Every structure is written in structure tokens, then in C-alpha cells.
Amino acid sequence: MDLEELQVMWDAEHKESRFTLDEAGLHAIVQRRITESHRCAACRYRAEISISVVFASLTLIVASFLAFGSREWIDTLPWPKIVPTRWDITGLFIAGGVWLYFAWYLNRARLRLQRSGESFESSLHGDIDRALAWLDVQIKIARDIVWCGFVPLYAAIMLWVHVVFRLSTAPGRAATLNAIYVMAVAVMIAAFVMEVCCRRAAIRERYEPHRRELESLRRKLADSPTK
Amino acid sequence: MEETEHRRIFDTWMSQHRGLLFKVVRAYAFNVEDRNDLFQEIVTQVWKSIPLFRAESHVTTWLYRVALNSSLAWTRKERKHWGRTQAFDGTERALSEPTREANPRLDWLHEEIAQMDHIDRSLTLLLLDGFSYRDMAETLGISESNIGVKLNRLKARLINKSKETNHHGS
């Protein structure tokens, strides 16, 4: 077969289509997929940012009540069990502040990811470059988030747990609460280690192989007709 | 752009150029579910691309570009789903494939295309559809001279394979 024959055969397929299209349902399918894609892209970051903002706000509100509320009114509440010191209140303010910082950090990462694919031409070359730029940002975020995000975040959670347990310990129940506190700290350390391992595994098993694959495609597409 | 105008353009493109999309779907997806999923992905991207179309290129070139780029992204996504539950809800199908007489020569051609990597596959589709070097260069984002070199290799490969198949088949 020569090329003309191949083309004739190909055109025959075009004339006598192999598929039948459900035109009536097509608009509904397109709209559903567009809605889904918008929801999926935003939902992970949005959930993490919202949780951080809610925890930060609650912690800062409680810290403000403890710092500026009337002593008589606080004494009537079931919590705290002991009179908070200024270190307890400072600890809560710091924990709330770090949570807000973490929400800001995630939002910045989300915007960087969004912007990473903006300035590429609309072609296969541009699409590969866009995917590579997006992957580079993903890899950078996955690396940076350990020290710039998780370490402060988990330190803040430890601080928060420490202050809350201290303020919840009524005289005579210290032993039980201390045991729970030790368990909570152990769980948090395990969660931190898991987060770090997951990010490293994502870089090693998902992003880097994908990056290599895209780079080999880009190399193949590279403009070197003389080779 | 108004919704009705957007919809009108989409419907026109779908009725006039659906064959082009079917060919890309067949080159990239190899079972009914995957073909439906990829087709839905491509038409979704076509819908999104309508406001970006500036009529600087032909509609067919534009649609090929959108379809090939969607297929590249879809292939990556599809690989992520391997070994998991099916990503596509088979109850909602946009395409159906009526049974028809097999065409061994055409099936051979599709098999050859399926074995190629993304770049060769894209080029082969554009070549078989008779696109100009300029349109191919625009779609892939590389120079026309580079297209020429790659196409010569591809043509030689396809013709050799077809001779081998004929030789062994006869």
C-alpha cells in the first residue's frame, strides 16, 4: 500500500462513520463535566484552606476571650479548669496565627498552580510545556510544604494541644489527661511522618516519572530537522 | 459570548466535524467505555475552547489541536486510573458503535497508529487527513522543516509495515 491508498482508506472511514452520536444528550454531558472539573480542581485546596481558617478563627476567638474577658464570667464557664496564664493565652494566639499562615500558604500554592499554565501557546508543544510547568510547580510545592507548611503547622497543633490539655486538667485528674496527651502527641507525630512520606512518594512515583515522560516527548518534538 | 451563540457554534462544529473527533477517539481509546470517556472529554474541551477561537486558523485545524491536546491529557489521567475502579460512568454514553462489517486493512492501520507514541500518532492523523505542513506545524508547535523530516520517516515506516503485512499475509 502506498500513502495515497492509506489516505483513501482513511477517508472511507470518515464518510461512513463508525460511531453514532447522541446529540440530544451531548449538551447535558458537557455541562456536567464542566461543573465536575471546576468542583474537583478547587475542592481539595478549598477544603484544607477552610479547615485551617475555621480552626484559626476559633482558637483566636477563645484566646481573645481568655485574654480580654472578665475574670468573673470566665470562672462561671465549665472550661478552663484552671486559671490560664499569659503563656497559655500567648500559646493559643501563636497556634491561631500559624493556622492562618498555613491557610495563606495553601492559597498562595493554589494560585501558583493556577498561574503556572497561563502563558503557553495553544499547540502540542505548548501543551507539553504547560504540563511540565505545572509539574515543576507541583514538585516545588510538595518539597517546600514540608518545611514551610507542615513543620510550623504541626508545631502549632502540638502547642495548641499542650495548652488545651493544660487548661482542661482539673486537680486530681492529671495522670489520665497526661496519658491522653502523650497519645495525642504520638498520633500527631505519626500523622506528620505520614504526610512527609506521602509527599515524597508523590514526587518519586508520580511527578518525576511523568516529568521524564513529558521531557522525552518534548525532546522528540524538538526543532532539530538536521539530525 | 452569548450562551445561544456559544451553543450554535458548538452544534455546528459537532455536526460538520464530528468525524474528525471520532478518528482521534479511535486512535487513542480502545474499548467502548474509554472511547465514550475520551469523546466526552474532547467535546467538553471543544466547548471550553469556543470563546478562544479567533478564526486565524481553520476550524478543522483548531479542532484537531483541541482534540489532540485533550487526548494527551486524557491518556495521562487514564493511566492514573489503571487498577482502580472504572472512572467512567457507563450509563451515560454519548457514542454508540453499531456492529458493522470488519475492514481488515483499516483495522491494521488503526493497530499501527495505536502502537505509536503521542507525537507520531498526532502526525499520522494529520497526514492521513491531508493537512498542510503549515497546519501541522501550527497544531504541534514546531517548524515546517521539522514536520517534513518527521513525516518522511513516518511515511517510510507505514509503507514498509504495510508491505511486510502484505508479504506475510499473501
Side-chain angles (χ1 to χ4, degrees), chain B:
Chain B
M1 184 183 285
E2 276 183 36
E3 175 77 17
T4 46
E5 176 66 0
H6 196 144
R7 214 183 157 105
R8 190 192 61 74
I9 295 172
F10 179 78
D11 289 339
T12 310
W13 285 4
M14 280 300 117
S15 69
Q16 288 176 0
H17 307 291
R18 66 174 72 169
L20 176 158
L21 304 184
F22 293 158
K23 284 182 194 175
V24 176
V25 165
R26 204 177 162 199
Y28 280 88
F30 310 106
N31 63 49
V32 182
E33 279 76 25
D34 282 354
R35 280 175 186 156
N36 261 285
D37 192 32
L38 177 56
F39 183 74
Q40 290 182 19
E41 181 60 30
I42 291 174
V43 290
T44 305
Q45 295 309 321
V46 167
W47 173 276
K48 284 185 189 171
S49 80
I50 290 173
L52 306 173
F53 180 65
R54 295 278 170 270
E56 287 157 2
S57 52
H58 296 297
V59 174
T60 45
T61 314
W62 178 262
L63 285 176
Y64 242 114
R65 200 186 294 167
V66 173
L68 292 175
N69 290 352
S70 312
S71 303
L72 176 65
W74 180 84
T75 314
R76 288 200 300 264
K77 247 192 285 176
E78 195 54 20
R79 222 171 287 168
K80 275 196 228 164
H81 292 302
W82 282 357
R84 298 187 195 173
T85 51
Q86 226 170 43
F88 170 71
D89 174 13
T91 53
E92 195 177 33
R93 283 187 178 155
L95 289 184
S96 50
E97 297 179 42
T99 44
R100 45 179 258 185
E101 217 173 296
N103 182 341
R105 287 176 6 135
L106 196 57
D107 289 342
W108 168 83
L109 183 55
H110 276 291
E111 265 172 42
E112 286 302 317
I113 292 172
Q115 285 167 22
M116 295 172 178
D117 67 19
H118 184 74
I119 293 163
D120 285 348
R121 214 182 292 186
S122 308
L123 265 174
T124 309
L125 293 180
L126 294 164
L127 170 74
L128 290 170
D129 265 330
F131 278 77
S132 67
Y133 277 27
R134 196 181 151 193
D135 285 340
M136 289 187 203
E138 202 182 310
T139 306
L140 299 189
I142 57 178
S143 69
E144 287 180 43
S145 52
N146 197 7
I147 291 281
V149 173
K150 288 182 192 306
L151 277 185
N152 283 338
R153 282 189 209 135
L154 259 180
K155 281 181 205 170
R157 176 179 155 181
L158 270 177
I159 290 165
N160 281 341
K161 287 254 186 172
S162 89
K163 278 179 191 159
E164 276 172 31
T165 312
N166 285 344
H167 177 72
H168 293 301
S170 58

Side-chain angles (χ1 to χ4, degrees), chain A:
Chain A
M1 261 186 287
D2 61 14
L3 187 68
E4 281 70 35
E5 277 183 272
L6 289 174
Q7 279 175 324
V8 168
M9 200 162 76
W10 190 252
D11 284 342
E13 158 112 335
H14 189 62
K15 280 179 194 122
E16 189 197 336
S17 177
R18 184 187 167 89
F19 302 103
T20 355
L21 181 62
D22 170 19
E23 287 179 58
L26 201 57
H27 283 282
I29 289 170
V30 167
Q31 292 314 320
R32 179 182 58 75
R33 284 179 87 102
I34 286 174
T35 316
E36 269 174 18
S37 72
H38 285 171
R39 204 173 47 211
C40 284
C43 64
R44 213 190 94 227
Y45 274 108
R46 201 175 290 160
E48 283 178 318
I49 291 168
S50 307
I51 291 168
S52 298
V53 168
V54 167
F55 270 100
S57 310
L58 287 176
T59 304
L60 291 175
I61 289 168
V62 170
S64 304
F65 274 125
L66 294 179
F68 308 114
S70 103
R71 182 61 43 215
E72 291 76 33
W73 177 71
I74 291 171
D75 286 342
T76 62
L77 299 173
W79 189 89
K81 304 280 187 197
I82 58 168
V83 178
T85 65
R86 63 189 169 132
W87 292 112
D88 294 325
I89 295 167
T90 309
L92 287 179
F93 273 119
I94 290 173
V98 172
W99 260 317
L100 273 187
Y101 155 79
F102 187 67
W104 168 81
Y105 181 85
L106 285 180
N107 193 45
R108 199 182 62 144
R110 185 183 65 85
L111 293 175
R112 273 170 66 195
L113 260 184
Q114 245 176 28
R115 280 195 295 260
S116 67
E118 278 173 2
S119 54
F120 294 96
E121 58 176 90
S122 176
S123 65
L124 179 62
H125 203 288
D127 192 52
I128 292 172
D129 285 345
R130 184 183 302 111
L132 276 169
W134 185 87
L135 265 178
D136 285 342
V137 174
Q138 278 282 29
I139 291 171
K140 187 160 171 42
I141 290 172
R143 282 195 181 127
D144 289 354
I145 202 169
V146 172
W147 287 105
C148 303
F150 290 142
V151 169
L153 176 73
Y154 278 85
I157 297 174
M158 297 259 214
L159 182 62
W160 184 88
V161 169
H162 175 77
V163 173
V164 168
F165 268 86
R166 221 185 77 75
L167 295 179
S168 308
T169 310
R173 293 193 57 213
T176 320
L177 278 169
N178 280 347
I180 298 172
Y181 174 66
V182 170
M183 269 172 21
V185 169
V187 167
M188 273 183 300
I189 291 172
F192 173 75
V193 171
M194 231 170 78
E195 286 269 23
V196 174
C197 290
C198 284
R199 303 286 158 160
R200 286 194 177 162
I203 294 175
R204 202 176 49 243
E205 285 159 28
R206 247 176 49 214
Y207 301 141
E208 293 287 9
H210 186 189
R211 197 178 195 295
R212 280 196 293 274
E213 187 191 337
L214 285 170
E215 274 186 333
S216 86
L217 272 181
R218 187 164 68 170
R219 267 198 303 277
K220 185 161 184 198
L221 200 57
D223 213 350
S224 52
T226 49
K227 277 184 189 172

